[in-house]
Amino acid sequence: MKRLILSIGTALALSGCVVGPTYKRPATPEAATGALIEAARAQSIANAQTLPDHWWQLYRDPVLDRLIQDALAHNTDIREAAANLLRARAVLSEQKGAGLPSTDLTGSYQRQQGNSANAAAFGGGTGPVQTFQFDLFRLGFDVSYELDLFGGVKRAVEAGRGDLEASAAQLDAARVAVVAETASAYVTACSNAAQLAVARETVDLQQKTLGLTKTLFDAGRGTKRDVERADVLLAQTQAQLPGFEAEQRAALYALATLTGRPPAEVDADAARCSTPPRLDQVIPAGDGAALLARRPDVRAAERTLAADTARIGIAVADLYPSITLAGGIGLNATRGSQLFRPTSVNYAIGPLISWNLPNQTVARARIRQAKAGAEASLARFDGTVLTALRETEQALARYAGALDRDAVLVRAEQSSSEAARLSRLRFDNGADSFLQLIDAERDRATARAARAQADAAVAAAQISLFKALGGGWQDAPFPERRIDPAPKP
């Protein structure tokens, strides 16, 4: 008994040894966690304040809020990512269960027959052969527990937990993408409606100009060339209308699909939108550290790295022996009435040492595979960090450029509108030629169309920036260190 206790105690002491590298979170360059370059360069477009959890509410647009809530509840990409999260949680439960004892409950009844000839064959006697029959009742309860001597089960749980957390981050990434795509589709529908309205107003003005030109021509004050030039200008503007109408419908179809509905179920409120939503404040962009903590793709890459690091330990643990503590108690009797008597009890307990000597070439190749997988995940993580920083700086730069372009085009529209008004007055009074009036009208139409396009570009740049910022869902603090060398068992 003392030997049994000693062997169990030794096995339990050894079970504290875990092979494989101990994971520590990766570090990032200090420059990557500071202020964003473009935000510091143009503080009028972004500041270092924390991005709110639901950035789309900054637009104060109830239609957009409702559409995004519908998308979060019904979008198929989000549903798929949520199912993957449930699967990862179930896999982790399975891996945790591998560290628990296994039990086996058995019960049997047998009617057996024997004869004295069998006994005679072993020197049991030489008398006449006699046949006998008897019943055998058995009940048994067995328990076995494999000691996790070298941490294979522990590493498997670590890998499962990393996969689970990566799946959770991927669900957040799906939410970020769907929210941005929903907002973008809504903005596109509204922007095309706005550009369509501008084009229709321009068509109305140009139709009046064409009518006036025909009247003057009929009165002998103009030429056929003037009429044709006015008609060309009108046709050029009219040619823009079908494109704006088609793009508006296409955006509405995309919006329906993003919110989990068939394209035929176009949202009526979105279809009525005629002005793209705009912000009335500076975008709160935060700094590099906040960005990397907030971006779900960065969190997913880091958690995948943790899981792949743990898989190195799983592969290494296969090189070492396993010890199973087994025990069982049973009841055997030839009569049912005797089954629960003390004399029918039997038991067994003790450790089972099993050392499966694997093919060393195969086993060590698997270890190298696991290490290479972890190195690839580390490179992927570093690349994801760089991509997050690049996308954000690019989005900030493009947003700044879109705002500057819009401001210039606002002035151009105002000036061209005033010039067209003055040119018409001068033409009516005979001071300007019809050619000058046509040129002024063309400049005004071009400026108004460019201004509408610029407004659409500003709204699109804002959505792209919010997507790059990864807004909406923030998890654990950003990691700090890389992988340590593997400890020895």
Side-chain angles (χ1 to χ4, degrees):
M1 187 66 178
K2 291 182 179 180
R3 292 180 180 177
L4 176 61
I5 295 175
L6 179 61
S7 64
I8 294 175
T10 303
L12 290 173
L14 288 172
S15 64
C17 183
V18 180
V19 296
T22 298
Y23 175 77
K24 291 190 177 179
R25 295 180 172 184
T28 53
E30 185 176 349
T33 60
L36 297 170
I37 299 172
E38 287 292 328
R41 184 169 174 267
Q43 297 181 1
S44 60
I45 65 168
N47 57 35
Q49 295 181 5
T50 303
L51 186 70
D53 287 342
H54 303 97
W55 55 262
W56 55 90
Q57 294 179 353
L58 296 174
Y59 287 103
R60 298 185 178 90
D61 189 326
V63 175
L64 178 61
D65 293 344
R66 177 180 57 76
L67 290 170
I68 287 179
Q69 291 305 315
D70 289 345
L72 290 173
H74 305 295
N75 183 267
T76 54
D77 290 341
I78 292 178
R79 288 165 51 197
E80 180 182 356
N84 290 336
L85 177 61
L86 292 176
R87 180 174 58 187
R89 185 174 291 123
V91 170
L92 178 59
S93 297
E94 177 186 358
Q95 290 163 337
K96 288 181 177 180
L100 300 176
S102 60
T103 59
D104 187 19
L105 180 63
T106 60
S108 66
Y109 161 75
Q110 293 178 331
R111 178 68 174 174
Q112 298 189 3
Q113 177 175 305
N115 58 63
S116 58
N118 294 331
F122 294 94
T126 58
V129 176
Q130 296 181 355
T131 300
F132 56 90
Q133 295 180 337
F134 63 94
D135 295 327
L136 182 60
F137 297 87
R138 289 180 178 175
L139 289 177
F141 179 75
D142 299 321
V143 179
S144 63
Y145 175 69
E146 182 176 347
L147 298 176
D148 190 23
L149 291 180
F150 300 100
V153 174
K154 180 180 179 181
R155 293 303 192 199
V157 171
E158 289 178 4
R161 185 174 292 112
D163 290 337
L164 173 62
E165 292 168 348
S167 294
Q170 288 164 358
L171 174 58
D172 287 347
R175 289 168 175 159
V176 169
V178 167
V179 166
E181 290 174 9
T182 302
S184 179
Y186 178 68
V187 164
T188 300
C190 297
S191 297
N192 278 281
Q195 294 179 76
L196 179 62
V198 169
R200 284 173 174 167
E201 289 177 9
T202 303
V203 165
D204 290 340
L205 290 174
Q206 291 173 346
Q207 284 176 335
K208 293 178 181 178
T209 300
L210 177 60
L212 175 62
T213 306
K214 289 180 178 180
T215 300
L216 293 175
F217 175 70
D218 293 339
R221 294 180 53 190
T223 66
K224 183 65 174 176
R225 181 186 176 192
D226 293 339
V227 175
E228 296 298 337
R229 286 177 62 87
D231 188 48
V232 168
L233 188 61
L234 172 61
Q236 289 174 340
T237 306
Q238 287 176 328
Q240 299 176 3
L241 301 182
F244 292 137
E245 292 173 345
E247 289 301 322
Q248 182 192 24
R249 294 197 304 273
L252 292 173
Y253 295 148
L255 196 58
T257 303
L258 285 165
T259 54
R261 298 192 299 267
E265 297 182 13
V266 169
D267 188 87
D269 292 332
R272 285 191 292 267
C273 178
S274 59
T275 304
R278 300 196 65 173
L279 293 178
D280 56 2
Q281 65 180 75
V282 175
I283 292 180
D287 56 14
L291 168 68
L292 297 176
R294 188 171 54 240
R295 288 268 301 215
D297 55 342
V298 174
R299 287 189 276 116
E302 187 273 328
R303 290 289 80 203
T304 299
L305 172 59
D308 288 343
T309 303
R311 291 186 177 96
I312 300 175
I314 298 173
V316 174
D318 289 340
L319 295 175
Y320 296 95
S322 62
I323 295 181
T324 301
L325 298 180
I329 185 170
L331 300 174
N332 294 339
T334 57
R335 294 183 180 177
S337 59
Q338 298 175 346
L339 188 61
F340 295 99
R341 292 184 179 180
T343 55
S344 66
V345 176
N346 60 84
Y347 68 90
I349 186 171
L352 171 63
I353 300 177
S354 174
W355 194 335
N356 179 25
L357 296 176
N359 183 315
Q360 291 294 303
T361 301
V362 173
R364 297 195 179 278
R366 289 173 179 168
I367 295 173
R368 292 195 301 272
Q369 292 173 26
K371 289 182 177 178
E375 288 298 324
S377 293
L378 178 58
R380 191 179 306 113
F381 169 78
D382 290 340
T384 304
V385 169
L386 295 176
T387 298
L389 294 168
R390 171 181 60 80
E391 289 179 349
T392 303
E393 295 291 3
Q394 288 178 331
L396 283 166
R398 288 165 179 156
Y399 179 48
L403 286 176
D404 291 342
R405 179 173 180 268
D406 187 67
V408 172
L409 290 175
V410 167
R411 190 175 77 250
E413 182 194 13
Q414 293 171 348
S415 298
S416 64
S417 296
E418 180 63 14
R421 186 184 69 82
L422 294 175
S423 181
R424 179 169 291 277
L425 289 175
R426 291 174 61 84
F427 175 77
D428 292 341
N429 292 308
D432 276 359
S433 67
F434 182 74
L435 180 60
Q436 291 173 312
L437 174 61
I438 289 294
D439 287 340
E441 289 288 350
R442 181 188 295 110
D443 291 342
R444 179 179 182 275
T446 301
R448 295 193 70 200
R451 166 69 193 286
Q453 291 176 356
D455 287 344
V458 168
Q462 288 171 351
I463 303 301
S464 296
L465 176 56
F466 282 126
K467 182 179 180 181
L469 292 171
W473 295 268
Q474 183 171 348
D475 202 349
F478 189 68
E480 298 179 353
R481 297 186 60 190
R482 291 185 181 269
I483 304 173
D484 278 358
K488 299 297 182 182

